[in-house]
Amino acid sequence: QVQLVESGGGLVQAGASLRLACAAAGLTISTSTMGWFRQAPGKEREFVAATGANTDYATSVKGRFTISRDNTKNTVFLQMAGLKPEDTAVYYCAGRRGLSTRTMYMYDYWGQGTQVTVSP
């Protein structure tokens, strides 16, 4: 049974940094594609970043967010810098045993989400 557990969300002011973590169980992240998605109130869930053979970022976060993984801890991170109010959303970790993709429906496993709120 695969379990993804996110942590690290919170309330910060614009310009601050946060690091989200996603601890995986039952899925070896070193041989999987791991992604981060987010969903703001009233909006669809959207791709943020993914890491597999390569890393990929949404245009809106490129240069501010960094996805990384610690294979020894089987944990994926999303380092977020220069946060903006428009980054406010629930952030979800996702995993799949396949090639990297931005397509939400291609991911088989999801965490419960962690709230990130950025005040002006």
Side-chain angles (χ1 to χ4, degrees):
Q1 183 178 357
V2 175
Q3 193 171 22
L4 303 177
V5 180
E6 301 100 332
S7 61
L11 170 63
V12 296
Q13 290 188 325
S17 298
L18 273 178
R19 188 176 79 156
L20 305 183
C22 172
L27 180 72
T28 302
I29 66 167
S30 62
T31 57
S32 303
T33 291
M34 302 301 296
W36 286 96
F37 291 77
R38 66 186 182 186
Q39 188 166 17
K43 295 188 176 181
E44 293 188 351
R45 194 170 299 187
E46 65 176 4
F47 170 78
V48 174
T51 181
N54 302 297
T55 55
D56 186 23
Y57 296 94
T59 302
S60 60
V61 306
K62 199 167 187 178
R64 299 188 297 123
F65 291 10
T66 304
I67 188 171
S68 63
R69 49 187 174 186
D70 184 337
N71 293 335
T72 64
K73 297 181 179 179
N74 213 37
T75 299
V76 180
F77 301 97
L78 185 68
Q79 179 69 49
M80 305 184 294
L83 283 163
K84 305 175 182 180
E86 52 263 43
D87 294 318
T88 295
V90 177
Y91 284 71
Y92 295 91
C93 174
R96 69 184 302 263
R97 294 186 177 96
L99 296 176
S100 182
T101 177
R102 296 184 172 198
T103 305
M104 179 176 65
Y105 304 107
M106 298 293 288
Y107 286 81
D108 302 306
Y109 310 107
W110 291 85
Q112 82 287 352
T114 186
Q115 177 71 47
V116 172
T117 303
V118 184
S119 62

